[in-house]
Structure formats: C-alpha cells, structure tokens
Amino acid sequence: MTYRPDIEGLRALAILLVVAAHAKVPGFEAGFIGVDVFFVISGFLITGLLVAEHRTSGRINFARFYARRFRRLLPALLLMLAVTAVAAWLLLPLTSQPYQASAGAAASAWLSNLYFAFERIDYFGAAADSNIYLHTWSLGVEEQFYLLWPLLIVLLLRTGKGGIGERWVLLGMAAILALSFLACVWLTFLSTRYAFYLMPARAWQFAAGAIAYLNVQRISEIIRARGPAWVGDAIGVAGIGLLVVAMLLIDSRTAYPGFWAMLPTLATVLLLLAACGGQSLTTRALSIVPMQALGKLSYAWYLWHWPVLVLGALLISTQTLEGRLMLALLSLGLAVLSYLLVERPLRRNAALVHVPKQFILASLLLMAAAVLAFTRWGAATQQEITPLDLKHKAGGQPFRIEVPRIYPLGCDDWYHSDRLAPCVFGPPSAPRTAVVMGDSIGLQWFPAFEQIFSGPDWRLVVLTKSSCPMVDRPIFNHRIGREFTECASWRNEALKYIAKLSPEIVILGSSHTYDFSQSDWVKGTDAILQWIAPSASRLFIVRSTPLLSFDAVTCVGSQLQLHGAVNEQACREPDKDERNQQVASWLLKGMEHWKNVELLDMNDLVCADGWCRAMQDDDLIYRDVQHLNAGFVGSLASQMAKRLGLDGPSGADVNDPAKATINVSPVTPRP
C-alpha cells in the first residue's frame, strides 16, 4: 500500500484523545473514543494490506501476515508488562497484586478484553481505575480481529469468481457492519460491559474501515473527474466536526458504545476519505511533522500511559492537572525509549520473519512464558495474604477492611430485581421502630445504626438497593446500559411500605454523585418526603461522604509495602468536594417544607479538621474512594446517637446473628 502520512497523523490524534481522557484533562472526558478511531484505522489498513497482497500474488500468506503482526506488537507489549509488573510488585499492597497478576496473564495472551468483560470490571468504575492493565482490553480486541480477518477475506475472495472477489469482500463487510452494529446496540442495552469489551460487538468498526478502503479508489476517481476541488476539504471538515460533536455529547455516563459509537466511527471514515480528492486541509494538518512523530509513537505511548498514571499516583499527587500531565509526559518518555530500543529495531529486522512459522512458534512460547510468570506471581502473593486484609503495627493492633454485614446477609438485590425484601433486626414485638433506607452510601452507616437501635425496645428495618438514589427521579445506570427501572419500582414499594409502617424514626441516605440537576435534587427529595414524612415521627437524611481522588486501601497498602508503616500525611487530601456541598444545600432546600425532617451531617467526623484521610489513629476510615470502613463507622455510633437525639448504643451484642430476621414479610403496620 502507498504510505499515507495523514493516517499516521490520525493515529496521533487518537492517542492524544485517549491520553487526555485518562489524564482527566478538562473537556476531554470523551477522549476514550480515540480507541474507536484506532479500530477503524486498523480495519482500513489491514484490509488494504490483505487485498493488495491478493491482487499482486493471487494469494494471502497467512504465516507471514501473523509473523509480522507478532513482530510489530508483541515485543513492546511484553516489555511494558514486565516493567510494570516489577513496579506493581514494589508499590502495590499484596491484597491487590493477585488481581493485577490475573489481568497481566490475560494481557500476555491478548485476552484481557474477555477477562475484563467476564470479571465484571466496569471501565468507568473505581475498580477499573486501579487496574494497571485495563487499557490492554483494546489490544485484545485488535488481536482477535487480526486472527479472524485474513481468514474471512480469503473466504470472501474465493466465493467470488471471475474477478468479482473484491465485490464479495465489499458485500461481506457490509453484512458484518450491519449485523455487528445491531449486536452492539443490543448488547449495549443488555450490558454495556459486553458491548464495550467483546470483539464481535466492535467488528462493525473494523468493517467500516474496510469498506472505506474498498471504495477509496472509486471515490477518488469520481471526485477528480466530476467533483469540485473543495470536496476533499469538506469531507475532512465534516470528519473533524463529527469528532467534536462526539466529544461534546459523550461522557462516562453515556450508554457506550451503542448508537453513540457511530459518531467517532463515521468521523474516522470521513477523515480517511478526505485524501480522495488530493491533499485536503485536514490531510495537510494531519501530515505535519509533530503529528507524524506522535503517530509513530502512538502504540508505545498507548502501552505505557495508563500504568504510569495508575502507579505514579502512588508516588506523586494526582489531585492537580499538573501532576497528571507530568505522569503523562513521563509515559511519553518511556514510549520514546521503548520505540527506539525495541519497537523500531525489531520492526525493521526482516530476518526475524524470514521463516514465519518459526517466529510464530517463538512468539507463542514467549506469550506462554509470560502467562506462566504472571500466574505464579498471583499465586505466590495470594498465599502471603493473611486472613486480615491489611496489617498495621504502629498501634500494635491489626485492622481489616470491613463491609456492613447486611451484604453477606443478602439484604441488597441491586439491579437483578425490584423485589422488596426488608431485613429486620431486633425483637418482633419491640415497641419502637426505626427504618433505614438508601443505597450503599446511605447504608454504609449500618454498623452505627445497628448499635444505636440494638436495645430490646427497638426494631430496625433495613431497605437497601445499591446505586438507587433517594430522589424520586428516573436514573440511567451506565453499568447496565439503560434506565434503572428496578430502582424506581423498588423505591416506590419501599416508600409505600414505610408509610404503612408509620415508624418512629426514618433515616434516608444516598450518594451525591448521581447525575441529577439542582431541580431534580430539590423536587425529587421533596417528592420522597411527601410519601413518608407525614407518617414518621422524625425523619433524617444522611449527608453523603466526600469523594476521594485516590483509593484509600491502595494508598495505605502501598505505604505498608514501601515503608512498613503508614504515613497518614501521604494518604489524605483537603475536603474540597464541591459537588457534595452543592447537593447538601439542595437537600436542605428539598426538605424545608417539612418540620420533622433534618439533615444528619457526620462529615466533620469523617474528615476531621477539613482533611479526608484514608486512616487515622490506626483506624482505616475509607475502604475505597467513598465508602467508609465498617469498623470506623461503628466507632461513631455514640456521636451519631447524640445527633439523632437518642441516648446512645445499648451495649447489646449487635453481632449475634439470632437478632436478625432476614427477608421477612412486611412488619405489621401500626393500627
């Protein structure tokens, strides 16, 4: 194929979008669409290489094709995996190393997209943010495409007889585009995770690139024969315009890929076709020297940028844009070294693939060795983990990561159903009833509630559904790729249940991170209170806890790993969660018409002196980026009781399983 400098520049544009998104540069939240750009480019180039080879020789040499792909991609990947594995071993706590090792083993075999899809890792969630190999999912998709595409093209070429083989390829690509796109949209509705990670749901983007290549000559002839000189400029500007629209409309809350992926896909196709009429404005812009240089480094930079951002956050502050950009530039420096020392020399070494089958075998053996090394690392670290998740010896007492026991008891059914199944604690005949209702942020306070309402006079009713806000408004859940209708149905039934129960105390709580407007928070809160405030003696809304910019357990564990003790100054940040402040003020406005409703704010105890800490005085405060550790919550029971206007915990044995009645039928309402 003829070298296209504008395609190298398009690669540069794609990697800039991806790195900017992962470095959290303002305005680039949708930069992950750069991966879609890479997919379309791959479909264009690989289809072009295979069809051109068939035109020249009448056949496709599979062994040579696969050997060249291995030579191009594998050495740099294995280098990144080896270096980052050593860094993770040095920096990360033992508790997170088996997880990293499993992902590394999958990445070594170009299967990490399957690993992340079926391990239920949300690309935009907190768990994803801590995995140093998350970005390799796209390499898995690409390699699975490389594996199948030559076979498919040969099949289509042989189907067509008498010189019409390429027409069959075009028809085949059109069929793949249509079927794969429909599968993508369907999977996005069912589960965005599968649509995002699995190659069949992305095949239509490769097919779009293939169709662009198969039509590029015909379009060029038409434009040069009949079209005005500005057609190429118009096509290129339209492509850039679609990319800009995609950046403005898509974010982490979008059901992606689905229909939205059409924007970057069509944009890339237009940018690839912009050169059909000769040198256009966009092709000249993409062909400038800096873009060419970045394009050559795009693969290496993609490999290094994510692990450097994740691991670098353990060493320097990434709360500021400057810190994140510093790490992005460091990853670019590593990419330059990787490209100059490994990628380019091996790519130019024709002797390596002189006997393609031998090189393929050697590559497979290297991959197997990497998989084995990662597997052994994971097994070794798993054996070293003690029953306690973390140990801290500064105060002489170990501590552990703890979640409220309502979850192992099965009190939360999340999105799987809208069934109302209350968990009831305490004697059925207790004269006083307290109800706590909310998502996982509201019910993180259960260890304190359990102590406060543990006496013989109290019956405690727990109603919880994760990711379901205490705001009477529809909520779109990007993890399941659709409106969370189960939440609305469950919430309505729960509110009816509380209204009939007429409890003495009701405590509501949910996260402040839901994507509601001010009007939604105010009116949605008031709508909730209209259901239950008239029937409850006293009602409290617990303010959400501040969101950390780092994972608390990873930070604490890394301190232990590196220094044998925790420097509390290293795992803290100022309480500057502006969204939290806004939502608290909107909640107050939503409850202002109800005299028996109060805001329960515990954040001055969570973030003492205006600092949010991962741990303090040998106690783990947070267990991730927002949820509090259950042990710490239990220590605040007395202070919470005072703020509720109660005497305090009764001192009963709150851990006695006999005191819990799980998933019972509704408690008999008051007469």
Side-chain angles (χ1 to χ4, degrees):
M1 294 177 63
T2 304
Y3 176 70
R4 290 267 305 266
D6 60 305
I7 294 181
E8 203 76 89
L10 193 52
R11 283 194 179 116
L13 179 61
I15 190 60
L16 284 170
L17 290 175
V18 171
V19 173
H22 289 162
K24 299 179 181 178
V25 177
F28 285 86
E29 184 180 1
F32 59 85
I33 64 173
V35 173
D36 301 70
V37 176
F38 280 125
F39 288 164
V40 179
I41 293 174
S42 293
F44 184 92
L45 292 177
I46 297 303
T47 302
L49 287 170
L50 294 170
V51 171
E53 181 180 355
H54 190 270
R55 286 174 183 169
T56 303
S57 62
R59 60 187 294 269
I60 292 176
N61 189 322
F62 290 108
R64 187 174 67 175
F65 173 81
Y66 293 128
R68 292 174 67 180
R69 298 283 73 73
F70 277 122
R71 182 185 63 178
R72 168 76 175 87
L73 302 172
L74 185 62
L77 172 66
L78 292 180
L79 174 65
M80 181 276 292
L81 292 174
V83 172
T84 53
V86 173
W89 176 68
L90 292 172
L91 297 174
L92 292 176
L94 285 175
T95 49
S96 66
Q97 290 186 28
Y99 170 49
Q100 305 289 353
S102 297
S108 301
W110 280 315
L111 296 173
S112 56
N113 62 318
L114 302 179
Y115 173 80
F116 290 120
F118 296 110
E119 282 295 309
R120 300 178 179 271
I121 302 300
D122 173 22
Y123 185 81
F124 304 106
D129 288 342
S130 64
N131 194 288
I132 59 177
Y133 300 124
L134 177 71
H135 65 310
T136 62
W137 75 270
S138 66
L139 305 182
V141 172
E142 290 254 10
E143 289 305 319
Q144 290 149 33
F145 156 71
Y146 293 147
L147 179 65
L148 299 177
W149 217 247
L151 302 173
L152 177 64
I153 287 182
V154 166
L155 177 64
L156 292 170
L157 286 169
R158 290 181 178 176
T159 301
K161 302 295 183 181
I164 60 170
E166 290 186 22
R167 188 180 304 171
W168 275 93
V169 174
L170 181 59
L171 292 173
M173 292 299 119
I176 291 171
L177 188 149
L179 293 174
S180 174
F181 179 70
L182 290 175
C184 179
V185 173
W186 177 66
L187 277 175
T188 301
F189 177 78
L190 291 181
S191 172
T192 53
R193 186 174 68 252
Y194 295 147
F196 195 90
Y197 289 125
L198 298 183
M199 192 274 287
R202 297 291 193 146
W204 66 278
Q205 296 179 298
F206 296 103
I211 292 171
Y213 171 80
L214 294 168
N215 286 283
V216 70
Q217 185 175 353
R218 184 180 299 107
I219 294 173
S220 296
E221 292 172 353
I222 293 173
I223 291 177
R224 289 171 181 171
R226 306 175 189 175
W230 49 263
V231 171
D233 289 331
I235 293 174
V237 170
I240 293 294
L242 279 179
L243 274 184
V244 172
V245 170
M247 293 294 294
L248 292 174
L249 298 181
I250 296 171
D251 58 28
S252 62
R253 294 171 294 277
T254 304
Y256 201 85
F259 286 106
W260 290 103
M262 292 179 63
L263 290 174
T265 301
L266 183 56
T268 308
V269 168
L270 291 174
L271 290 170
L272 289 168
L273 296 177
C276 287
Q279 284 291 313
S280 67
L281 181 64
T282 53
T283 58
R284 287 194 295 270
L286 292 171
S287 301
I288 62 176
V289 173
M291 296 296 280
Q292 295 298 292
L294 277 180
K296 289 182 173 65
L297 294 170
S298 60
Y299 176 59
W301 199 9
Y302 186 85
L303 288 176
W304 289 100
H305 83 283
W306 180 250
V308 169
L309 286 170
V310 174
L311 294 173
L314 302 174
L315 301 174
I316 69 170
S317 172
T318 56
Q319 299 174 31
T320 64
L321 177 60
E322 291 79 5
R324 298 190 296 272
L325 290 178
M326 184 185 302
L327 291 175
L329 289 175
L330 173 61
S331 68
L332 179 59
L334 291 173
V336 171
L337 292 175
S338 174
Y339 176 77
L340 294 177
L341 299 178
V342 177
E343 185 179 342
R344 186 174 68 175
L346 294 180
R347 188 177 180 182
R348 293 180 174 181
N349 190 337
L352 288 175
V353 293
H354 182 66
V355 184
K357 293 181 180 179
Q358 291 181 1
F359 187 76
I360 292 172
L361 178 61
S363 298
L364 293 174
L365 290 174
L366 281 174
M367 292 168 63
V371 171
L372 178 62
F374 274 105
T375 303
R376 295 190 63 178
W377 171 34
T381 53
Q382 188 67 53
Q383 290 179 354
E384 293 182 43
I385 298 174
T386 64
L388 294 179
D389 298 302
L390 290 173
K391 285 187 175 180
H392 179 62
K393 298 298 184 182
Q397 296 294 325
F399 64 82
R400 66 191 311 167
I401 304 167
E402 296 174 302
V403 298
R405 70 187 186 103
I406 55 173
Y407 296 106
L409 289 175
C411 302
D412 188 348
D413 209 19
W414 198 41
Y415 72 89
H416 300 290
S417 77
D418 59 0
R419 179 176 62 100
L420 183 66
C423 281
V424 183
F425 299 80
S429 59
R432 308 172 76 183
T433 300
V435 177
V436 292
M437 174 179 168
D439 64 4
S440 62
I441 296 299
L443 270 296
Q444 69 183 341
W445 294 101
F446 175 77
F449 299 146
E450 189 176 26
Q451 293 185 52
I452 294 168
F453 303 110
S454 61
D457 292 341
W458 283 105
R459 176 178 50 198
L460 176 63
V461 180
V462 173
L463 305 170
T464 181
K465 181 170 282 294
S466 292
S467 302
C468 186
M470 298 301 99
V471 179
D472 192 5
R473 289 292 183 271
I475 182 70
F476 182 91
N477 190 308
H478 69 82
R479 295 187 182 185
I480 60 176
R482 57 176 172 81
E483 183 180 328
F484 195 5
T485 54
E486 294 87 349
C487 167
S489 177
W490 174 89
R491 186 173 56 219
N492 289 341
E493 291 302 312
L495 293 172
K496 293 177 184 177
Y497 172 79
I498 295 173
K500 291 180 181 179
L501 191 59
S502 297
E504 181 176 335
I505 291 179
V506 176
I507 304 175
L508 305 176
S510 53
S511 175
H512 64 283
T513 58
Y514 295 105
D515 189 26
F516 291 130
S517 66
Q518 177 179 352
S519 176
D520 287 334
W521 279 105
V522 174
K523 295 180 180 179
T525 299
D526 181 66
I528 291 282
L529 297 176
Q530 288 180 34
W531 280 84
I532 57 176
S535 60
S537 300
R538 301 170 64 207
L539 199 150
F540 298 86
I541 298 179
V542 187
R543 182 179 173 184
S544 176
T545 42
L547 193 68
L548 299 178
S549 65
F550 59 90
D551 181 81
V553 172
T554 300
C555 184
V556 170
S558 297
Q559 288 286 309
L560 291 171
Q561 184 84 349
L562 290 171
H563 309 297
V566 178
N567 178 1
E568 294 181 4
Q569 308 301 314
C571 298
R572 69 171 191 168
E573 64 184 11
D575 180 10
K576 293 183 178 180
D577 191 337
E578 296 180 1
R579 175 71 174 179
N580 194 314
Q581 297 281 354
Q582 288 180 328
V583 170
S585 67
W586 298 336
L587 290 174
L588 286 170
K589 190 169 181 62
M591 66 175 71
E592 63 184 3
H593 301 300
W594 304 96
K595 294 182 179 180
N596 62 333
V597 181
E598 301 176 45
L599 184 69
L600 179 60
D601 189 349
M602 303 292 292
N603 286 352
D604 61 315
L605 301 176
V606 175
C607 298
D609 304 321
W611 287 90
C612 297
R613 298 170 174 85
M615 66 168 294
Q616 184 176 11
D617 299 330
D618 301 333
D619 287 329
L620 189 66
I621 297 177
Y622 282 85
R623 57 182 167 88
D624 50 34
V625 297
Q626 189 179 19
H627 293 90
L628 300 176
N629 199 40
F632 171 74
V633 170
S635 71
L636 300 181
S638 295
Q639 292 95 321
M640 176 178 278
K642 292 178 182 178
R643 298 185 186 193
L644 291 171
L646 301 173
D647 294 334
S650 67
D653 182 8
V654 297
N655 292 316
D656 184 0
K659 294 186 178 295
T661 305
I662 309 304
N663 294 344
V664 299
S665 58
V667 177
T668 303
R670 292 181 179 180

